[in-house]
Amino acid sequence: MFLIIKVVIFLPLYSCFNYLIPLHTVSLIGYRVLIPFKNRIEVGIIINYVKKNELNNKNRCNLKKIFLVIDNFPVYSKKFFLLLYWCEKFYHIEIPILMYFIVPNFLKKGNNILYDYIFFWKMINKKIDFYIKNIDRTKYKLIVTKIIKKKKNY
């Protein structure tokens, strides 16, 4: 049994494409996938699920399966997709074109995200929790020290 998903391919195209994904998979909106497109393999991102009544039987028979889910976690959150849908309505531009210009080239090529270079901190109710892993950039260190100096009661 399969689910039908909408995938945006990182090419300057005006439409999304439908693919099949196994039913036992969890919600994969925001994940990058490898998919067959014409005679080559392309990288795309899952943006939504397709309802069964949106497709007729002829279109269901011609759908292809995805090859591989690249990421272990979603690259983009649901808030990002809400922003995309708002941009689509406000600026009258299609989501695939928006994604083509918004997504960095590094992610379009299907490269893995290097978790060693993630710089992360968050502030919660006067507490500053920051996590720096394998980072030696002075710019980021200065930003963190400025925040810590401003918030002495943590």
Side-chain angles (χ1 to χ4, degrees):
M1 206 64 193
F2 291 95
L3 287 173
I4 302 171
I5 55 173
K6 274 189 182 179
V7 177
V8 170
I9 299 173
F10 299 126
L11 296 172
L13 302 171
Y14 286 98
S15 61
C16 302
F17 296 93
N18 297 326
Y19 285 89
L20 296 173
I21 195 164
L23 185 63
H24 64 275
T25 56
V26 293
S27 177
L28 294 177
I29 295 174
Y31 286 76
R32 292 180 303 153
V33 290
L34 287 178
I35 50 175
F37 184 71
K38 295 190 178 181
N39 58 353
R40 59 184 187 267
I41 297 173
E42 290 288 338
V43 177
I45 191 163
I46 300 172
I47 62 164
N48 208 350
Y49 291 101
V50 177
K51 296 178 184 174
K52 290 183 180 179
N53 56 5
E54 290 182 14
L55 291 176
N56 55 14
N57 288 334
K58 289 181 182 178
N59 291 342
R60 285 186 195 171
C61 296
N62 296 332
L63 294 178
K64 298 178 181 179
K65 298 176 188 174
I66 65 166
F67 286 139
L68 176 69
V69 177
I70 298 173
D71 302 312
N72 294 330
F73 64 93
V75 177
Y76 292 108
S77 66
K78 292 179 183 178
K79 289 182 181 180
F80 174 78
F81 286 109
L82 290 175
L83 177 66
L84 276 181
Y85 291 129
W86 178 84
C87 289
E88 178 187 29
K89 289 179 184 175
F90 189 79
Y91 294 110
H92 303 290
I93 189 167
E94 299 293 327
I95 287 183
I97 297 296
L98 282 171
M99 293 291 286
Y100 178 74
F101 289 110
I102 290 175
V103 176
N105 287 335
F106 179 79
L107 296 177
K108 289 179 188 176
K109 295 177 183 175
N111 296 335
N112 291 331
I113 299 172
L114 300 175
Y115 302 106
D116 294 339
Y117 299 106
I118 291 177
F119 176 77
F120 174 77
W121 79 80
K122 60 183 177 179
M123 299 189 317
I124 302 172
N125 298 333
K126 296 183 182 178
K127 291 185 180 180
I128 299 175
D129 301 326
F130 60 92
Y131 171 67
I132 303 173
K133 185 177 181 182
N134 293 341
I135 195 157
D136 55 354
R137 298 182 182 106
T138 57
K139 179 174 89 173
Y140 295 121
K141 288 181 181 178
L142 289 174
I143 291 171
V144 171
T145 54
K146 285 180 185 178
I147 292 173
I148 292 173
K149 286 178 184 176
K150 287 180 183 177
K151 304 280 184 176
K152 291 183 179 179
N153 298 330
Y154 63 95

